Amino acid sequence: MTLTGPQWYEIFRFLLPLIIFLVALCTGYAARKIVFMRLSAWARNTSTEVDDIIINAVRGPFIIWFMMLGISFSARFAGLPEEFFNIVNKTLVVLGVFSITLVLSNIAAGLIRSYSGKAGPAMPVTSFTQNISRIIIFTIGLLIILRNMGISIAPILATLGVGGLAVALALQDTLSNFFSGFYIIVSRQVKVGDFVRLESGDEGFVTDINWRTTKIRMLQNNVLLIPNEKLTKSVIINYYQPDREIAVTVKVGVHYSSDLGNVERVTCEEAAAVMKEVSGGVPSFNPFVRFDGFGDYAVQMTVILRAVEFTDQYLVKHEFIKRLHKRYDREGIVIPYPVTALNISQEKRAR
């Protein structure tokens, strides 16, 4: 069967929108590969992370924009009725605004993460801060979409204002945790990465502060979830403020017949060696001894050492006790067993 010229024209006219769309899609893939390969090579030579954040945020929606371009040109050559053409245009506008909103939210979250990393403990990254930025940007994007669709946003804002009171009353606990989480982050009294102990005795590292709970990873590698409101009302010991270094105290008892001057010298020598040789000790710190009481069976003293942070104290104590026990044995210093002695001659003199 031989097709005539008009038939070929009709077939070409039917396939033209599809061809235009495929050309736009292929052009988008090729352009994304070439453009982002060069942009990535350029970004690797810069010292700032801002360009990397923007490139990663735009990489995904980039192909969507070419698809939108292809759909727009295809609709023009498809000869669609005016009302369908308007629907396609409005849909593309909504999709464009949504994609730009997505890009901006990813850039904002990336910048927050980057700035927080440079600021260190002063501005920690939490899912709460990143989600707040996303919510704000998506809300603005939604209002722009509604406005472009011809929907007046003034009544919506008024309705939200009235309905917000009812929602606030219904969600008192949720909102209380939300604002408590915001207060915890702003006050910076407890930050992600801090080691804290609660009045309940639970302790661990703060790993995240979200809109409802604060996550604490305990030393047993379990996760403790605390409602933000309860955390703000609790008595908390933060072992990372004002700084991470912590005093490590070890109680020791020696026999009453010991030369206390020699005991102090030997103990300080071993403590100083631990500070310099054991990981977690503070080499610049000079340990010292304080005799603090006459016990039932020993002269009691406290040895004060220092660790880089809270969890380092366990290894510091471990090594110090081992070394001190060995040194005392070599020096002839006796650590007495807990016994009760009856002095007969003393009792006779008392009579």
Side-chain angles (χ1 to χ4, degrees), residues 61-79:
F62 187 83
I63 191 66
I64 298 177
W65 296 335
F66 272 88
M67 291 176 60
M68 294 168 53
L69 188 63
I71 293 172
S72 178
F73 280 112
S74 299
R76 289 181 180 275
F77 287 95

Side-chain angles (χ1 to χ4, degrees), residues 123-166:
M123 188 65 183
V125 181
T126 67
S127 60
F128 185 90
T129 54
Q130 296 186 56
N131 289 336
I132 284 292
S133 65
R134 292 180 185 272
I135 290 172
I136 293 173
I137 293 175
F138 273 106
T139 300
I140 295 174
L142 178 62
L143 294 177
I144 294 174
I145 290 173
L146 293 176
R147 186 175 181 84
N148 279 278
M149 293 177 64
I151 301 175
S152 177
I153 62 176
I156 297 177
L157 295 176
T159 303
L160 290 175
V162 175
L165 179 61

Side-chain angles (χ1 to χ4, degrees), residues 150-201:
I151 301 175
S152 177
I153 62 176
I156 297 177
L157 295 176
T159 303
L160 290 175
V162 175
L165 179 61
V167 173
L169 293 174
L171 301 176
Q172 291 185 41
D173 293 340
T174 301
L175 291 177
S176 178
N177 287 319
F178 178 85
F179 288 109
S180 295
F182 181 76
Y183 168 76
I184 292 172
I185 293 173
V186 172
S187 66
R188 296 187 292 185
Q189 296 175 350
V190 175
K191 304 183 293 295
V192 172
D194 286 356
F195 190 93
V196 298
R197 175 178 291 169
L198 308 179
E199 59 182 332
S200 60

